[in-house]
Amino acid sequence: MEISQYDGIVCVSGDGLLLEVLNGLLARSDWKMAMKMRLGVIPAGTGNGMAKSVLHYGNESYNVENATFAIIRGNTHSLDVATVVQGQNVHHSVLSLAWGIVADVDIESERFRGLGELRNDIYSLIRITRLRKYRGTLAYVPAPGYEGSLDHISREDSDLLSSSIPDMNIEKGQQWGGYSGSMSVPEKSEWRIMNGNFILVWLMNVPWATQTVLAAPKAELSDGFLDLLIIKECSRRELLKSFLKLSDGTHVKSKIMDYLKVRAVCLAPGGQVNGGVEGGYISLDGEVLARGAGAYGDGSKDPMCYGSSIYITVEKGLATVFCA
C-alpha cells in the first residue's frame, strides 16, 4: 500500500493481528516512513493487553467505546518495539514474550478458546497442578539501577553469548531492506547469566498482558526497556498464591519472583525436567514463535526453532499508537 495515502491503521482484534500489522510495516524497505503510521486497536480478542495498556496510560476505563474514542480524538504516544532474532529470522513485538508456564497456558488453552479469557484461568490451574520445569540458559543486560549481583560468566557462557548475539543486524538490513533490530549490541561485561531449571521467563513491553493481568506494573509505553519476570524454583502453593495476585500487580513482590528492567535478553530454551516432551513453547504477543518436539500443535510453520538461542533487543519509541 502507498503509506502516504493513509492516516493510520486500526485493528479490531486481539493482540495477534496488531503483531502481524507491525511485522508487515517493519518488513517494508521504506520501514522508517511506514513506522510513522499511527496504530490503533479496538479490543475484540481474548487477551487485549495492548488495548488495556493504552487505556490505562490515559487513565481511561477499559472498554470498546473508550478505545474507539481514543482513536477518534487522535492523540498519540510513542511505543517501544522489541525485536527477536534467531539466525537470519527476525520477528518484532510490542506486547510480550513468554517461555514456561505462561506460554504453556497461552498456547495449550487454545483448544478451549470458546470459553473466552476463562480458558486461561482454568488451564493455569491445570498447569500449576501438573507443574513443568524447563532446562535452559538466560542471559540479560540489566537497565541502569537494576544491575544487582553479577552472576559469574564462565567460558562456556561466554561462548554462548558469542554464538547467540548476532552481528547480522547490519547484514539483515542490507540484504532484506526491512528493520532488523537495534544496532546497539551490549558488551559482554554487561551481561548477567542464569543457568538451570526455569518455571517462567516472561518479558513485557507494556504493563498489561491481558485486560485482567497486570504482569509488569513498572512497565511504560516508551522507556526503552523491557520488564523481565523470572521464576526458577517454587512450590505449587507458592506459585498459585503468586498467580492470584496477577490482577493487581502485587505478584512482583513475591519471594519466588525476580522482577527487573533489561535492555537485552538472550534465551537458550531446553526440554522439560523429568518430562517426556522435548520442549515447550516460546510465545510472542500470544502467538507461537517456536515449540519443542512433542509439544501441542503443528510446529512446521512456526517462525523460529525451539532449542536454538534467541536474542531480544528493544528500540525506544519506534512505533506510534493512538492513546487516550
Side-chain angles (χ1 to χ4, degrees):
M1 58 187 259
E2 178 52 54
I3 289 290
S4 63
Q5 301 196 13
Y6 297 87
D7 294 317
I9 299 175
V10 177
C11 301
V12 185
S13 66
D15 297 307
L17 183 58
L18 182 63
L19 172 71
E20 297 297 336
V21 169
L22 174 78
N23 278 275
L25 291 173
L26 287 170
R28 295 171 61 107
S29 59
D30 62 345
W31 63 267
K32 290 183 180 180
M33 179 64 70
M35 288 310 292
K36 294 179 181 179
M37 178 75 70
R38 297 174 294 176
L39 303 176
V41 58
I42 297 174
T46 302
N48 306 306
M50 181 55 66
K52 173 68 174 182
S53 294
V54 169
L55 289 169
H56 173 87
Y57 175 81
N59 295 315
E60 294 280 358
S61 299
Y62 167 81
N63 55 53
V64 168
E65 292 80 6
N66 283 343
T68 305
F69 281 123
I71 295 167
I72 293 171
R73 285 194 293 265
N75 297 329
T76 60
H77 195 281
S78 58
L79 177 67
D80 294 344
V81 174
T83 299
V84 186
V85 178
Q86 184 185 68
Q88 293 295 307
N89 294 325
V90 179
H91 224 60
H92 308 287
S93 160
V94 288
L95 186 73
S96 66
L97 180 143
W99 174 55
I101 187 170
V102 167
D104 290 354
V105 170
D106 210 358
I107 304 307
E108 293 182 350
S109 67
E110 279 287 330
R111 66 190 84 180
F112 307 120
R113 195 174 186 86
L115 297 175
E117 196 179 8
L118 183 61
R119 80 185 206 204
N120 292 325
D121 297 333
I122 294 173
Y123 208 76
S124 292
L125 288 173
I126 294 174
R127 285 274 55 90
I128 291 172
T129 303
R130 303 174 181 177
L131 188 59
R132 298 169 179 166
K133 298 178 184 179
Y134 295 95
R135 298 180 297 274
T137 299
L138 174 69
Y140 60 89
V141 178
Y146 289 86
E147 290 83 1
S149 60
L150 174 62
D151 293 323
H152 177 65
I153 299 180
S154 66
R155 182 182 297 274
E156 181 180 346
D157 293 331
S158 181
D159 291 342
L160 168 70
L161 289 175
S162 297
S163 62
S164 302
I165 300 173
D167 294 325
M168 46 70 68
N169 282 337
I170 298 176
E171 295 174 9
K172 189 71 176 182
Q174 291 173 343
Q175 294 172 2
W176 186 45
Y179 175 73
S180 56
S182 173
M183 295 296 183
S184 175
V185 178
E187 299 291 333
K188 286 185 182 179
S189 60
E190 299 180 81
W191 289 87
R192 310 292 190 265
I193 300 285
M194 299 178 72
N195 292 299
N197 300 333
F198 293 85
I199 294 172
L200 172 65
V201 172
W202 201 0
L203 273 173
M204 291 295 304
N205 189 48
V206 293
W208 293 85
T210 74
Q211 66 261 39
T212 60
V213 174
L214 181 55
K218 295 182 180 180
E220 299 179 23
L221 297 184
S222 183
D223 62 357
F225 303 114
L226 297 168
D227 286 41
L228 174 61
L229 298 92
I230 307 166
I231 300 177
K232 292 204 69 179
E233 295 287 346
C234 70
S235 67
R236 291 174 175 83
R237 181 180 179 183
E238 289 174 321
L239 186 60
L240 177 60
K241 288 174 62 178
S242 179
F243 271 41
L244 288 173
K245 298 176 181 178
L246 283 168
S247 61
D248 62 8
T250 55
H251 61 287
V252 299
K253 300 178 181 179
S254 171
K255 65 180 182 180
I256 68 171
M257 183 84 66
D258 290 320
Y259 177 48
L260 68 156
K261 287 184 176 290
V262 297
R263 293 165 45 210
V265 169
C266 181
L267 174 65
Q272 286 186 35
V273 177
N274 300 322
V277 178
E278 176 79 18
Y281 315 85
I282 298 174
S283 65
L284 191 70
D285 292 12
E287 306 296 323
V288 180
L289 183 69
R291 79 189 84 201
Y296 171 75
D298 177 16
S300 61
K301 296 183 179 179
D302 292 346
M304 294 186 181
C305 298
Y306 189 93
S308 300
S309 299
I310 61 172
Y311 176 62
I312 307 108
T313 56
V314 61
E315 186 81 21
K316 183 176 180 179
L318 183 62
T320 302
V321 290
F322 289 105
C323 191

